[in-house]
């Protein structure tokens, strides 16, 4: 049987340079088929990827007995203890099964009731090869929580008598994704850990009003250390209890669905926390359960454990983890964290990706990890056809966002990670008059044909302590004294407001096929993000969102918020994110002007710090009459209203700048505006 991807021809027609690496693409796909064969022998994809129904601890609805199944190949014995048996360590042993599996069944009590009650505390006792009994939490635990005054998490049986019932169906995937990246814990004004209910009731309606159609939730998978931002996962099947109960998370997602908002989970399958007592590490008493042993099993920079994707039980665990969140919580899709680290044996460390295809198809590429990502995308899309997957990949691996059937990675989008780096570089190191328009356009448009990109000017990475948000790079300490409309409009604040709007609009319209914003950045949230830790006296001051600033009519933050909303609403009307990439007709280095067309709109940006241009000639491809539909310089957005919105721009039957027609415009300095044809 051939191992050639059934639609490989389509991929090679799309990118002829891949012909040289056809053999490697076929080899990888052959490895994937081998894994699928194993899964089929295990009962097929549906059963294999929904192993959460029998692994872990479960109450049998038929007879109220309790059943448990674990994979612990290095263990010599396994026991269950907890509130139900007075914490007796060995009274309830598991039965050893073939292939490193262990099973237990505890019958119902004499009165027919369940022996383990809802929210009962449980622990596994693992007998190691040395004969030592060590405490562990089940890798499949669905609810874990630290006791009062402790940081070490414990497993609780989640079996509520009246489980949450969803009222609203999942949302169809938007073709023009506008993603609001958010962290539940920091979403409150107060210096505390906000909860799922607060986010559902207070933040989701804000997101809807701002014109976003998707939410990307971070830090949902349980993590013992709050300050890790959710990227050091300790319990993969447990939604973080610090934000509330599983049912409260379900209510949040249901609330978003009621408003037509698609919900993405930031999933971390690239590595796991090194915690032993409340994590996955050394679950069976060995170093190689779930992870590679030796140096390959540790990420030196992240100080975390790395999965062994060649093991069938690891695939069962991770693929079931995806289905768990899609099935149980009704998440709609995923953003996969750390994909670059997964794809390469070097984890991308100290490696600059030049675009040479040999960098992606050589020995440095980790076939096992790549096959896992193919499997993850194949399973997610097969079992949930409306699922969207996004890869956090900085390397630009070819075909990562092409279908698995073509030999690609199967992702729907990749993050445009070079774009925020470019903005920070410009703001940090270059004067406004030195900005290179051609280089800027290149970064914003440099993406693979037919592989969709999520564009963003800044995400949570740029908000963290040690870096600055774009607003803070632009305005810094003057934000503390001059953001009031009753204070003078200083040169720094005026420049900051203008460029903040321009940077976001050009990235939104030119940078990709989807848009992402991090919570609060849409209105220029001041300062950085810093979680409570020893170095800041465990303060929550920077681990919150100061909504009162944007809600205050006397502060200038409202202008940025207004512009963000109108930008999203205009996109919703014209759908430029779902349109073909833009045609850039003009990038003038001296004038600092950029002009492009997308979705039948004309976008004009004058980045010059002080020069305005009356009667400036630009090219357009469609004849007719144009009017302004968005203008960053209006008073509603904190500007100076230098453009006359009653002006109608008529085209001339004279080609210009590679376009079939032309018109003349007035382009004030540091202003972006959009023209639409009047029908």
């Amino acid at each position: 049987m051939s191992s050639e991807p059934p639609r490989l021809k389509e991929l090679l027609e799309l990118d002829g340079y891949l012909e040289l690496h056809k053999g490697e693409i076929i080899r990888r796909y052959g490895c994937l088929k081998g894994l699928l064969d194993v899964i089929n022998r295990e009962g097929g994809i549906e059963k294999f990827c929904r192993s959460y129904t029998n692994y872990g601890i479960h109450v049998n609805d038929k007879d109220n007995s309790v059943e448990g199944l674990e994979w612990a190949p290095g263990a010599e014995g396994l026991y269950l203890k907890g509130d139900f048996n007075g914490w007796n360590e060995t009274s309830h042993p598991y039965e050893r099964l073939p292939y490193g599996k262990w099973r237990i069944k505890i019958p119902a009590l004499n009165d027919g009731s369940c022996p383990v009650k809802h929210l009962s505390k449980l622990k596994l006792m693992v007998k190691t090869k040395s004969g030592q009994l060590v405490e562990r939490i089940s890798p499949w635990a669905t609810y874990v929580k630290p006791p009062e005054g402790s940081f070490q998490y414990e497993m609780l049986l989640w079996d509520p008598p009246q489980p949450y019932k969803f009222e609203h169906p999942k949302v169809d995937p938007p073709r023009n994704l506008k993603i609001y990246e958010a962290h539940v814990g920091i979403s409150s004004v107060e210096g505390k850990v906000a909860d799922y209910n607060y986010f559902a009731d207070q933040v989701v309606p804000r997101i809807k009003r701002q014109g976003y159609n998707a939410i990307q939730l971070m830090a949902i998978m349980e993590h013992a250390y709050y300050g890790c931002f959710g990227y050091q996962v300790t319990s993969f099947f447990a939604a973080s209890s610090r934000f509330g109960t599983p049912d409260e998370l379900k209510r949040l997602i249901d609330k978003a669905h009621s408003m037509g908002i698609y919900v993405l989970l930031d999933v971390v399958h690239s590595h796991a926390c090194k915690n032993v007592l409340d994590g996955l590490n050394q679950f069976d008493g060995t170093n190689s359960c779930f992870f590679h042993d030796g140096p390959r099993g540790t990420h030196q920079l992240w100080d975390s454990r790395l999965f062994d994707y060649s093991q069938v039980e690891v695939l069962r665990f991770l693929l079931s983890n995806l289905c768990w969140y899609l099935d149980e919580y009704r998440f709609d899709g995923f953003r996969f964290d750390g994909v670059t680290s997964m794809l390469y044996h070097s984890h991308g460390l100290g490696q600059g990706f030049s675009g040479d295809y040999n960098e992606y198809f050589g020995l440095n590429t980790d076939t096992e990890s790549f096959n896992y990502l193919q499997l993850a995308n194949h399973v997610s899309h097969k079992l949930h056809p409306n699922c969207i997957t996004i890869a956090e990949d900085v390397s630009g691996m070819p075909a990562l966002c092409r279908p698995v059937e073509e030999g690609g990675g199967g992702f729907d989008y990749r993050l445009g990670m070079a774009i925020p780096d470019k903005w920070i570089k410009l703001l940090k190191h270059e004067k406004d008059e030195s900005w290179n328009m051609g280089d800027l356009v290149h970064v914003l448009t440099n993406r693979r044909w037919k592989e969709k990109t999520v564009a963003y000017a800044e995400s949570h990475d740029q908000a963290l302590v040690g870096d600055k948000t774009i607003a803070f790079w632009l305005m810094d300490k003057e934000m503390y004294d001059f953001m009031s409309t009753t204070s003078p409009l200083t040169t720094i604040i005026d420049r900051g407001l203008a460029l903040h709007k321009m940077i976001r609009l050009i990235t939104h319209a030119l940078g990709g096929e989807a848009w992402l914003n991090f919570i609060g950045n849409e209105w220029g949230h001041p300062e950085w993000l810093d979680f409570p830790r020893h170095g800041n006296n465990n303060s929550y001051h920077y681990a919150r969102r100061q909504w009162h600033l944007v809600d205050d009519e006397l502060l200038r933050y409202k202008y940025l918020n207004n512009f963000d909303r109108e930008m999203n609403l205009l996109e919703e009307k014209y759908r430029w994110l779902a349109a073909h990439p833009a045609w850039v007709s003009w990038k003038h280095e001296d004038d600092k002007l950029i002009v492009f067309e997308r979705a039948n709109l004309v976008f004009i940006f004058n980045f010059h710090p002080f020069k305005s241009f009356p009667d400036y000639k630009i090219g357009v491809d469609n004849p007719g009459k144009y009017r302004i539909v968005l203008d960053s310089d209006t008073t509603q957005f904190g500007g100076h209203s230098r453009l006359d919105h009653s002006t109608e721009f008529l085209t001339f039957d004279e080609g210009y700048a590679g376009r079939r027609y032309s018109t003349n415009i007035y382009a004030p300095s540091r202003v972006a505006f959009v023209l639409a044809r009047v029908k």
Side-chain angles (χ1 to χ4, degrees), residues 424-479:
I424 296 302
K425 182 180 177 182
L426 287 175
L427 296 174
K428 189 175 180 180
H429 299 293
E430 297 190 29
K431 296 179 180 178
D432 294 4
E433 54 268 29
S434 301
W435 287 14
N436 185 302
M437 298 293 102
D439 183 51
L440 176 58
V441 167
H442 172 74
V443 171
L444 288 167
T445 57
N446 182 27
R447 55 188 183 272
R448 292 185 56 78
W449 176 245
K450 296 288 186 178
E451 294 192 43
K452 293 187 284 190
T453 293
V454 178
Y456 61 106
E458 53 185 337
S459 68
H460 68 269
D461 288 327
Q462 288 72 40
L464 289 169
V465 65
D467 203 342
K468 294 181 182 180
T469 62
I470 284 177
F472 224 52
W473 276 116
L474 287 166
M475 297 177 276
D476 211 81
K477 63 180 185 293
E478 291 217 4
M479 294 182 78

Side-chain angles (χ1 to χ4, degrees), residues 53 92 97 253 279 294 379 454 499 542 565 573 578 593 651 659:
T53 58
H92 287 75
L97 303 176
I253 294 169
V379 165
V454 178
L499 287 180
Y542 295 109
R565 181 177 59 252
K573 181 177 180 181
L593 242 79
T651 58
R659 309 310 274 159

Side-chain angles (χ1 to χ4, degrees), residues 110-175:
N110 291 334
D111 62 2
S113 64
C114 181
V116 184
K117 308 302 181 189
H118 174 54
L119 296 181
S120 290
K121 293 180 181 178
L122 297 168
K123 277 280 176 72
L124 293 176
M125 296 302 295
V126 176
K127 186 177 182 180
T128 67
K129 290 188 181 298
S130 65
Q132 184 183 9
L133 283 176
V134 294
E135 287 189 344
R136 294 292 187 265
I137 288 177
S138 170
W140 302 79
T142 60
Y143 191 54
V144 297
K145 193 175 182 180
E148 196 71 35
S150 173
F151 293 104
Q152 187 178 312
Y153 279 69
E154 296 180 330
M155 174 171 56
L156 288 79
L157 180 72
W158 183 260
D159 184 39
Q162 294 180 314
Y164 184 87
K165 291 184 179 180
F166 286 94
E167 297 179 5
H168 304 279
K170 285 192 174 192
V171 173
D172 290 337
R175 291 187 63 242

Side-chain angles (χ1 to χ4, degrees), residues 331-342:
F331 277 96
D332 298 296
F334 301 112
R335 178 262 198 194
F336 280 75
D337 179 68
V339 168
T340 304
S341 173
M342 297 173 70

Side-chain angles (χ1 to χ4, degrees), residues 143-207:
Y143 191 54
V144 297
K145 193 175 182 180
E148 196 71 35
S150 173
F151 293 104
Q152 187 178 312
Y153 279 69
E154 296 180 330
M155 174 171 56
L156 288 79
L157 180 72
W158 183 260
D159 184 39
Q162 294 180 314
Y164 184 87
K165 291 184 179 180
F166 286 94
E167 297 179 5
H168 304 279
K170 285 192 174 192
V171 173
D172 290 337
R175 291 187 63 242
N176 58 333
L177 263 183
K178 295 187 285 289
I179 304 167
Y180 198 88
E181 183 188 30
H183 184 289
V184 170
I186 68 163
S187 64
S188 167
V189 173
E190 299 177 62
K192 65 176 186 179
V193 179
D195 58 31
Y196 297 125
N197 285 332
Y198 175 87
F199 192 92
D201 296 333
Q202 301 298 321
V203 183
V204 172
R206 284 182 182 270
I207 295 169

